[in-house]
Amino acid sequence: MAGTVYSTSSVRADSGLLFSGSVSDASVAWTGFVDQESHLSGFVVCLGTPSTPCSEVNAAVPSDTVTYSATGLSLADGSDYMWQISATNGAGMQVQAVSEAFIIDVS
């Protein structure tokens, strides 16, 4: 049931780090969450800092969703953020996966 999560609103710099130039918008995509026996019942999409994973976004979405965009955010310039996706199957079991952290840089 585990999957892969990646920020779609950030770019990789030559240094290898991910950066986003927006403090108000962010988006995410995920793949690989599958449960052939009890099927997926939905996802919870979170965006936050490494120490507070759902501080900016905490949204439930249907099981056929594979992308999410958030607007109207107040992300802090210079801070690290990461996406977390929690998948729940029909039996109520849950698994989580997180994206690589990205840095907000509006300079």
Side-chain angles (χ1 to χ4, degrees), residues 30-31 33 39-45 60-68 87-88:
W30 57 92
T31 61
F33 290 95
H39 306 288
L40 296 178
S41 61
F43 297 101
V44 174
V45 179
V61 297
S63 62
D64 61 348
T65 305
V66 295
T67 63
Y68 184 86
T88 303

Side-chain angles (χ1 to χ4, degrees), residues 6-73:
Y6 50 97
S7 171
T8 57
S9 56
S10 57
V11 295
R12 188 168 305 280
D14 291 339
S15 64
L17 298 174
L18 288 175
F19 289 93
S20 174
S22 176
V23 295
S24 60
D25 302 312
S27 57
V28 64
W30 57 92
T31 61
F33 290 95
V34 177
D35 188 326
Q36 297 297 333
E37 294 178 15
S38 56
H39 306 288
L40 296 178
S41 61
F43 297 101
V44 174
V45 179
C46 288
L47 173 65
T49 65
S51 61
T52 56
C54 295
S55 60
E56 303 300 324
V57 172
N58 188 350
V61 297
S63 62
D64 61 348
T65 305
V66 295
T67 63
Y68 184 86
S69 295
T71 60
L73 300 171

